[in-house]
Amino acid sequence: MQATIKPSKISGLVKAPASKSMMQRVCAAALLHKGTTVIHNPGYSEDDKASLHIIQQLGAKIISQDAHTIIIESNGVNPTSDTIDCDESGLAARLFTPIAALAGKEITITGRGSLLNRSMGEFAIILPQLGVELQKFNGGLPFKMQGHLQAKDITINGDISSQYLSGLLFAFAFSATKPVTIQVQDLKSKPYIDLTLQVLKHFGKDVAHDNYTIFHVIPSAGTESTIEIAIEGDWSNASYWLVAAATNGDITIEGLDNKSVQADKEILGLLQKAGAQIQQNDKSMQITAAPLREFEFDATDCPDLFPALAILAAKCKGESYIKGIHRLWHKESNRIESITEMLHQLNIHYSIEDDALCVRYQNKFDYATIDSYNDHRIAMAAGIGALLAKGPVTITGAEAVNKSYPDFFKTLISLGANCEINDL
């Protein structure tokens, strides 16, 4: 799919899409919970669908579903298939692999597209210590595993991705028969672990931690048989509308929780410091374009903000610095390569200094053709950057937005953007 966007001012109302980070974690909890889970405001991105498919492969049943509610029944992990397909979701692969290992059966973990190139190397260190043998493992998917995962004290590395820890926390919290600890070295993306702990707590599983270095899992009795939970609005995907409005529009966003533990909520404080005009109440926030000043921001714990922040930085007077480049290598694309290529095509001046991306103010961006690198966040960043260009910007591989936000371009058009979509 190809999207061509001409310079446009945008305005209107947006409802934030459901958080896929929360939705996928709730799917994991719904599988492990022995009873009924009612999910309100569910997500239906490709990653969300992948998680729904996985929990069915692992024994959960979807009793009913529509745009507003999904009802799931489960009796724990009882695989109906010897293959778990994670599609292109890195979170699903790292979250559900330890959970699937609770079955004690030979299971193949596979995926497709860019996921096959993403590292899963930590599993070779973690799983054998817990009684799970890996077969045909070359550092990524696909691979086979066999053995029954045993919850016991373990030390893991958290500097590559916090998703390995999230998978273990779900598996341990629902299976441990005695207190166990997970010691974590150099944990990154702590807010995502907060989200994991929040979902676990909602399902009656309390996990304590010592400053994110040691996590204490204590067996707890089952909760009520029916659990209801609503999926929050997604700060990650809303960040594109926040940036679009701050640089070139007037947008009201509904459905975001100002008290959320989501990592990407940090963009709100950043925009305020940069000079964006923001008015908030309990139900919505309005963001209006205003002159913006340069900023420094450490995105180590919220690396998914990088593409949107690169566009934001180009509209802030002076030079802005975004730290945390080392977190960009293991995403849907090599994101430092795909982000800098996007900036290059738009003729936005940038440099890389140690672990930071430095972006210089640019009054107008050049018209260009931008490759999404099959990365949903690059496609969306290019979409909002195109609004600020001198002429048309064409995004190839624009269908990548389906991974997290299928309605992105539809919403962009509803806000008044001059956007043409072509299915190739």
Side-chain angles (χ1 to χ4, degrees):
M1 187 175 87
Q2 187 170 281
T4 300
I5 302 164
K6 296 180 180 178
S8 312
K9 278 201 170 290
I10 58 175
S11 64
L13 176 68
V14 174
K15 181 181 178 183
S19 165
K20 75 181 184 72
S21 295
M22 184 176 181
M23 176 68 182
Q24 290 183 277
R25 286 166 170 80
V26 169
C27 285
L31 165 68
L32 291 162
H33 171 60
K34 294 184 178 181
T36 302
T37 302
V38 181
I39 305 174
H40 301 289
N41 190 40
Y44 284 108
S45 70
E46 287 185 348
D47 279 8
D48 296 326
K49 290 177 180 177
S51 290
L52 286 168
H53 186 219
I54 288 169
I55 66 172
Q56 291 176 87
Q57 292 175 318
L58 289 174
K61 294 181 180 179
I62 296 179
I63 304 304
S64 67
Q65 67 182 112
D66 57 32
H68 306 290
T69 305
I70 299 177
I71 300 176
I72 297 168
E73 286 188 0
S74 180
N75 193 35
V77 181
N78 297 288
T80 60
S81 171
D82 60 3
T83 299
I84 304 304
D85 184 357
C86 301
D87 198 51
E88 289 196 63
S89 175
L91 173 57
R94 294 174 181 137
L95 185 64
F96 286 103
T97 292
I99 292 171
L102 293 173
K105 298 180 180 179
E106 183 177 276
I107 295 177
T108 297
I109 309 295
T110 189
R112 63 193 71 184
S114 62
L115 182 57
L116 300 179
N117 299 319
R118 297 178 70 174
S119 173
M120 299 290 157
E122 290 299 305
F123 282 139
I125 301 171
I126 295 169
L127 293 180
Q129 297 181 63
L130 302 176
V132 180
E133 176 188 352
L134 299 184
Q135 302 170 359
K136 300 182 178 179
F137 185 76
N138 294 309
L141 272 55
F143 62 83
K144 286 185 179 181
M145 61 179 184
Q146 187 170 22
H148 192 285
L149 185 141
Q150 302 294 319
K152 63 180 182 179
D153 295 349
I154 189 172
T155 298
I156 69 171
N157 193 344
D159 67 340
I160 299 297
S161 174
S162 67
Q163 294 170 352
Y164 295 105
L165 174 58
S166 284
L168 289 180
L169 287 171
F170 273 100
F172 280 22
F174 281 88
S175 69
T177 58
K178 62 180 182 180
V180 292
T181 62
I182 303 174
Q183 187 166 339
V184 188
Q185 299 173 342
D186 196 18
L187 179 63
K188 297 297 192 295
S189 297
K190 296 180 182 69
Y192 286 100
I193 296 304
D194 290 334
L195 184 57
T196 291
L197 300 182
Q198 176 181 293
V199 172
L200 284 171
K201 185 174 182 178
H202 193 93
F203 280 78
K205 306 295 181 181
D206 284 315
V207 177
H209 63 83
D210 301 332
N211 197 29
Y212 299 95
T213 59
I214 302 176
F215 290 79
H216 303 274
V217 180
I218 300 174
S220 58
T223 60
E224 63 270 22
S225 61
T226 299
I227 294 178
E228 296 198 33
I229 188 168
I231 306 301
E232 295 179 0
D234 193 318
W235 280 92
S236 300
N237 286 331
S239 69
Y240 298 94
W241 304 128
L242 291 167
V243 170
T247 57
N248 185 45
D250 183 350
I251 298 175
T252 298
I253 303 177
E254 294 182 339
L256 292 175
D257 183 356
N258 290 334
K259 297 179 181 179
S260 173
V261 299
Q262 291 179 49
D264 294 340
K265 191 187 72 171
E266 291 297 314
I267 192 172
L268 185 61
L270 169 59
L271 285 169
Q272 291 170 328
K273 289 180 181 178
Q277 294 185 13
I278 302 174
Q279 295 181 330
Q280 301 179 67
N281 58 42
D282 291 340
K283 295 183 179 180
S284 66
M285 65 181 65
Q286 182 182 15
I287 305 92
T288 306
L292 301 173
R293 51 186 172 267
E294 72 274 9
F295 63 85
E296 290 189 14
F297 182 76
D298 188 345
T300 297
D301 283 341
C302 45
D304 286 345
L305 287 179
F306 246 96
L309 294 184
I311 297 298
L312 173 68
K315 295 303 294 179
C316 292
K317 290 288 187 179
E319 290 184 337
S320 296
Y321 292 82
I322 312 166
K323 301 176 183 177
I325 283 177
H326 68 282
R327 299 300 315 283
L328 300 180
W329 306 116
H330 304 290
K331 298 293 184 179
E332 284 79 358
S333 64
N334 175 343
R335 244 177 224 164
I336 191 56
E337 176 185 354
S338 53
I339 289 171
T340 54
E341 179 62 18
M342 173 182 68
L343 296 177
H344 173 72
Q345 293 299 327
L346 293 170
N347 196 28
I348 296 169
H349 298 287
Y350 70 89
S351 61
I352 295 176
E353 301 179 13
D354 296 324
D355 194 36
L357 175 67
C358 174
V359 181
R360 191 184 309 165
Y361 172 78
Q362 185 81 7
N363 184 37
K364 286 286 185 181
F365 306 161
D366 276 1
Y367 59 87
T369 296
I370 296 175
D371 184 353
S372 75
Y373 285 72
N374 196 34
D375 189 326
H376 55 133
R377 302 205 185 280
I378 300 301
M380 289 188 281
I384 62 172
L387 301 171
L388 303 161
K390 299 174 184 176
V393 171
T394 297
I395 305 165
T396 60
E399 68 277 6
V401 299
N402 293 332
K403 179 176 175 61
S404 67
Y405 198 169
D407 289 337
F408 175 79
F409 288 109
K410 179 181 177 181
T411 303
L412 188 64
I413 292 169
S414 76
L415 293 170
N418 187 335
C419 176
E420 181 180 329
I421 303 296
N422 293 307
D423 293 318
L424 302 178

